[in-house]
Amino acid sequence: MVNEILRQKIYFALFRGATIFSVATLLFVLLYILKEGSGVISIKFLTGMWSHADITEGGIFPAIIGTFCLAIGVCIVSIPVGICTAIYLNEYAKDNYFTRIIKLAIRNLAGVPSIVYGIFGLAFFVLFLNMGTSLIAASLTLGCMTLPWIITASEEALKAVPYSFREGSYALGAAKWETIRKIVLPNSLSGMLTGSILGISRAIGETAPIIMVGATFYISYLPTSPFDKFMALPYHLYILATQHSSPYAREYAMGTSLVLIALVFILNSGVFILRYNLRKRKEW
Amino acid sequence: MKENRTLIEFRNFDFWYSEKQVLFDVNMKICPDCITALIGPSGCGKSTLIRCINRMNDLISCTRMKGRLLYKNKDINQKHIGVVELRKNIGMVFQKPNPFPMSIFENVAYGLKVQNIKSRSKIKETVEKSLKKADLWDEVKDNLNLSAFSLSGGQQQRLCIARALAIRPDVILLDEPCSALDPIATAKIEYLLKKLKKETTIIIVTHNMQQAKRISDNTCYLLNGKVIEYSKTDDIFHKPKYALTKKYLNGDFG
């Protein structure tokens, strides 16, 4: 009996230890970046154009705008297609061998390393479709990369709508699309959007694929068309941390990562608010 | 059967889920404006049978059938018969109350909106009438905008009945509607069904033999996918023709 109590305590301590460890690590990363990077954050840093010769003279505004445009581009490319695909696969497609293979393939695609999408984007969008290294090529590349994540998340959201709701709707003489539109979608949209935006906030932190398809370290203008090159926070951060000779480069890299984290945080809190509002009605 | 009017008729009806045959040569005539109860042990095919009538089995892939199922003398499995139209005439209430995650009002109005009825006053009027028919109006009339999930289980089930009644079906199928409810809620639903049979044909699947005895006019006893006995409820409970029926009613198995 004593042994049993002791064992309880050991396991409990083990799990609690693991939790404390992971939370502490994350907190440490955050605080470290905050401490190192907050010094350079200023209005000039956030809104100034990049000054290559003396980095203290400029800011990372073009990189913020670049990443922002990229996020919008990826949303436009992948959210509608991803959600529609999930609806088709989950609601319309017959549950047969072929469908299961496709679902499995999509789950596997979600695990393909991002750099592979980069090389695909370079070969297909940049060279074959002749888009050049550009914002649109990067949006399409990251769009392809996020698509499997969005499809998978949306499918889970659709599956979470109880079958009895659909049954009830069909029994009242509703057709399939009516049932999807009036019963299934209103109850799964929050989940689908949450999954989508989380995927996109992960994608905008990607460096490897966008280097190949359109991000540059230094341009003196803001992107004005989808065929322009652009600066992006993660790539900018990478160059500052590893290639730049200025003595302030390290500090500026930390500042840039702080901005990137803030951007992702803003996106995620947007998701949280959206989810909260859509969930208020959800009661099963 | 002495009743000579027929609303629904099974003729040599067989049914399979993939390779497993669940209904064998069902021949049965269901008459209008009465309550028909389907009884039998679990897995005997009662639910499958009832789900054939409004073609809910269409939703499951790999089903197969043979024979004919007539509703108003038309084979409902013919291609040209719209399943949507059929389900508007043959409503259904399920085992577990399944209100939609909407307000009480919206739940009852759903079927009307599906039928493209736009007039607000018409919808309002029908919702009120349906809730009254389902004996729920007095309990919810001040809270129509509350979520349907705020109701008790019995109330939810009556809401589902009101929802089915709103589109004025000829037939209502009930698949063990009381199995998740307590005796008081059950009694209310039984009372309600007896009242409703004057205008709507009711077919009810039940586990509860006493329930069949209390409310139904005709009773059908199914075993292993075969109709063993089908006759007036009084006859089947007091002088069953077959030994198997008698054994089941005595509680010897099931």
Side-chain angles (χ1 to χ4, degrees):
Chain A
M1 203 53 205
V2 179
N3 264 343
E4 195 54 44
I5 291 167
L6 187 66
R7 204 188 316 179
Q8 288 262 38
K9 278 191 175 155
I10 290 172
Y11 278 110
F12 182 58
L14 198 71
F15 295 134
R16 186 157 60 179
T19 310
I20 291 171
F21 178 75
S22 39
V23 171
T25 316
L26 292 174
L27 218 59
F28 178 71
V29 172
L30 204 64
L31 288 176
Y32 186 75
I33 291 170
L34 204 64
K35 179 179 162 287
E36 297 286 315
S38 56
V40 299
I41 303 283
S42 66
I43 299 291
K44 193 167 75 177
F45 182 70
L46 292 176
T47 60
M49 290 300 286
W50 181 243
S51 146
H52 198 56
D54 180 2
I55 60 173
T56 57
E57 280 304 301
I60 56 164
F61 187 61
I64 296 177
I65 288 297
T67 291
F68 185 73
C69 291
L70 189 62
I72 302 230
V74 178
C75 285
I76 294 171
V77 170
S78 60
I79 292 185
V81 179
I83 288 182
C84 292
T85 307
I87 291 172
Y88 179 76
L89 284 177
N90 205 53
E91 305 293 326
Y92 286 97
K94 282 201 176 102
D95 185 26
N96 55 24
Y97 188 65
F98 185 61
T99 312
R100 282 197 290 270
I101 292 276
I102 289 192
K103 286 185 180 174
L104 191 68
I106 288 172
R107 272 168 187 63
N108 280 322
L109 277 178
V112 170
S114 59
I115 191 132
V116 175
Y117 284 100
I119 193 89
F120 163 74
L122 179 64
F124 188 67
F125 296 123
V126 175
L127 300 175
F128 183 72
L129 295 183
N130 216 2
M131 288 174 177
T133 48
S134 58
L135 196 52
I136 189 168
S139 301
L140 288 167
T141 306
L142 287 189
C144 288
M145 187 181 81
T146 44
L147 214 46
W149 304 344
I150 292 175
I151 294 170
T152 312
S154 303
E155 257 193 277
E156 293 307 319
L158 288 169
K159 272 195 204 122
V161 178
Y163 184 66
S164 63
F165 289 178
R166 292 164 229 237
E167 227 175 21
S169 173
Y170 289 134
L172 288 168
K176 189 143 197 163
W177 168 238
E178 261 172 325
T179 301
I180 293 174
R181 188 164 57 90
K182 292 188 177 148
I183 300 290
V184 180
L185 287 186
N187 292 300
S188 56
L189 207 58
S190 71
M192 295 203 277
L193 288 179
T194 309
S196 302
I197 296 176
L198 285 179
I200 281 158
S201 72
R202 236 169 94 195
I204 63 165
E206 280 291 346
T207 320
I210 57 170
I211 299 174
M212 295 196 226
V213 294
T216 52
F217 173 61
Y218 175 47
I219 35 171
S220 52
Y221 54 90
L222 294 175
T224 51
S225 95
F227 293 98
D228 282 345
K229 291 183 180 179
F230 61 100
M231 290 172 71
L233 288 167
Y235 183 47
H236 191 71
L237 156 60
Y238 166 72
I239 297 286
L240 276 178
T242 60
Q243 320 269 312
H244 208 277
S245 58
S246 164
Y248 299 104
R250 187 172 169 279
E251 218 182 323
Y252 271 68
M254 286 294 185
T256 310
S257 29
L258 200 58
V259 173
L260 184 57
I261 291 179
L263 211 71
V264 170
F265 182 74
I266 290 169
L267 263 180
N268 288 3
S269 13
V271 170
F272 187 79
I273 292 164
L274 186 83
R275 199 181 169 81
Y276 177 78
N277 282 319
L278 287 170
R279 273 227 163 184
K280 267 195 270 184
R281 317 176 316 154
K282 201 163 166 176
E283 303 183 45
W284 70 89
Chain B
M1 301 300 307
K2 297 210 178 75
E3 188 71 63
N4 41 24
R5 291 178 306 155
T6 302
L7 187 65
I8 294 166
E9 184 180 358
F10 289 86
R11 270 190 207 158
N12 305 103
F13 193 79
D14 296 317
F15 192 86
W16 289 262
Y17 286 123
S18 53
E19 288 313 303
K20 190 173 178 281
Q21 186 166 5
V22 278
L23 294 176
F24 298 84
D25 194 32
V26 174
N27 283 290
M28 191 172 155
K29 288 180 180 173
I30 292 167
C31 59
D33 302 329
C34 63
I35 299 182
T36 305
L38 301 172
I39 60 169
S42 305
C44 69
K46 318 184 283 287
S47 291
T48 306
L49 188 75
I50 204 174
R51 279 160 173 266
C52 285
I53 302 174
N54 66 344
R55 284 177 59 182
M56 283 308 266
N57 289 323
D58 285 15
L59 302 175
I60 305 163
S61 52
C62 307
T63 58
R64 193 156 60 86
M65 63 186 97
K66 224 177 84 189
R68 280 149 66 79
L69 204 175
L70 308 174
Y71 166 66
K72 290 188 174 163
N73 284 321
K74 280 188 206 121
D75 192 329
I76 64 160
N77 291 308
Q78 293 287 309
K79 283 247 156 54
H80 67 271
I81 304 271
V83 66
V84 164
E85 205 49 47
L86 179 77
R87 290 186 190 141
K88 281 174 188 166
N89 289 319
I90 305 182
M92 185 162 205
V93 175
F94 298 86
Q95 187 166 2
K96 213 178 132 232
N98 63 342
F100 300 131
M102 308 169 176
S103 70
I104 294 167
F105 184 90
E106 290 292 326
N107 258 285
V108 185
Y110 183 83
L112 302 169
K113 289 186 179 161
V114 162
Q115 294 202 6
N116 257 328
I117 294 171
K118 292 255 160 49
S119 150
R120 282 169 152 259
S121 56
K122 177 95 170 53
I123 292 179
K124 226 172 140 184
E125 185 190 320
T126 315
V127 168
E128 181 176 340
K129 222 158 78 187
S130 314
L131 284 169
K132 276 180 178 158
K133 273 195 217 162
D135 292 338
L136 193 59
W137 177 252
D138 291 332
E139 292 158 61
V140 300
K141 63 181 175 206
D142 301 320
N143 304 315
L144 288 175
N145 290 319
L146 279 187
S147 159
F149 290 95
S150 61
L151 300 174
S152 72
Q155 287 173 324
Q156 285 187 17
Q157 197 60 301
R158 274 180 283 147
L159 179 67
C160 291
I161 294 175
R163 188 173 73 181
L165 287 173
I167 55 174
R168 304 181 59 81
D170 290 338
V171 184
I172 292 189
L173 312 171
L174 299 107
D175 190 355
E176 297 189 37
C178 302
S179 65
L181 306 182
D182 63 71
I184 293 169
T186 302
K188 277 187 186 159
I189 288 190
E190 287 179 6
Y191 172 77
L192 170 63
L193 293 180
K194 273 198 255 183
K195 199 178 68 178
L196 286 176
K197 78 169 179 181
K198 286 182 204 107
E199 41 187 311
T200 315
T201 308
I202 291 171
I203 304 173
I204 180 171
V205 164
T206 175
H207 245 102
N208 182 335
M209 282 177 279
Q210 297 313 311
Q211 182 171 60
K213 195 172 167 182
R214 282 193 297 267
I215 64 172
S216 70
D217 301 296
N218 301 314
T219 298
C220 171
Y221 171 55
L222 277 148
L223 182 65
N224 299 330
K226 296 183 186 93
V227 175
I228 303 294
E229 189 162 350
Y230 176 44
S231 62
K232 293 255 179 250
T233 300
D234 278 345
D235 296 347
I236 210 167
F237 277 91
H238 293 116
K239 37 185 187 219
K241 285 197 202 83
Y242 299 93
L244 274 170
T245 318
K246 201 170 181 179
K247 269 172 116 176
Y248 180 70
L249 294 175
N250 284 339
D252 289 351
F253 70 100

